[in-house]
Amino acid sequence: MASAMESEEQARNRFQSELEFVQCLANPNYLNFLAQRGYLREKPFVNYLKYLLYWKDPEYAKYLKYPQSLHMLELLQYEHFRKELVNAQCAKFIDEQQLLHWQHYSRKRTRLQQALAEQQQHSNATAK
């Protein structure tokens, strides 16, 4: 996504800055901060959010630590969502839903790992 006039160092700095910013979008409290300060109503900022959609490409998405940031980036394309984020209760709800999702995912993953370990133990015991 670099322009032809951009040096390698500038491209690297821009990549890192945009990566950090996109990952910040996973934080509903930060989104609430942006909304309350009026950034989400400014056309240049909304255009910037649209520009950042290139992070959905697997070539770039693989660098993200917080994949939910892509979902938030997608939702930020909608004016209604941007308006709702001014409300702290909206940010709190999103935060709670992310936590519940993470807890469910963690429990499910633990159960799957335990089942796999038991299956491997059973396979090793029958192979002997």
Side-chain angles (χ1 to χ4, degrees):
M1 307 256 58
S3 71
M5 305 295 255
E6 192 172 51
S7 74
E8 190 174 319
E9 183 179 351
Q10 289 171 323
R12 191 172 35 253
N13 288 339
R14 184 175 52 78
F15 174 84
Q16 186 172 353
S17 297
E18 290 177 0
L19 172 63
E20 289 176 14
F21 178 73
V22 169
Q23 292 191 118
C24 286
L25 299 179
N27 182 342
N29 295 310
Y30 180 62
L31 297 178
N32 176 250
F33 169 86
L34 292 174
Q36 288 184 347
R37 302 299 182 287
Y39 291 106
L40 300 182
R41 290 189 306 265
E42 296 176 4
K43 186 72 172 158
F45 193 81
V46 172
N47 288 339
Y48 182 63
L49 293 171
K50 188 176 290 190
Y51 156 76
L52 291 173
L53 285 171
Y54 77 87
W55 281 94
K56 292 177 69 177
D57 184 329
E59 178 184 347
Y60 295 96
K62 68 183 178 185
Y63 295 103
L64 293 170
K65 197 175 205 175
Y66 308 107
Q68 67 269 32
S69 60
L70 291 178
H71 185 63
M72 291 297 132
L73 180 58
E74 185 69 37
L75 290 173
L76 285 165
Q77 304 305 310
Y78 298 98
E79 183 179 7
H80 180 73
F81 182 72
R82 293 192 305 268
K83 285 181 179 179
E84 287 298 318
L85 285 170
V86 172
N87 182 350
Q89 284 302 109
C90 177
K92 184 176 189 257
F93 177 76
I94 294 169
D95 194 38
E96 290 169 350
Q97 293 302 304
Q98 285 181 339
L99 180 61
L100 289 171
H101 177 75
W102 176 79
Q103 288 173 336
H104 172 73
Y105 173 79
S106 295
R107 283 193 297 269
K108 185 176 178 181
R109 183 179 171 129
T110 301
R111 284 194 301 264
L112 287 172
Q113 288 174 334
Q114 287 171 343
L116 181 60
E118 289 170 6
Q119 183 181 15
Q120 287 176 342
Q121 282 180 335
H122 185 269
S123 295
N124 290 344
T126 57
K128 290 181 181 180

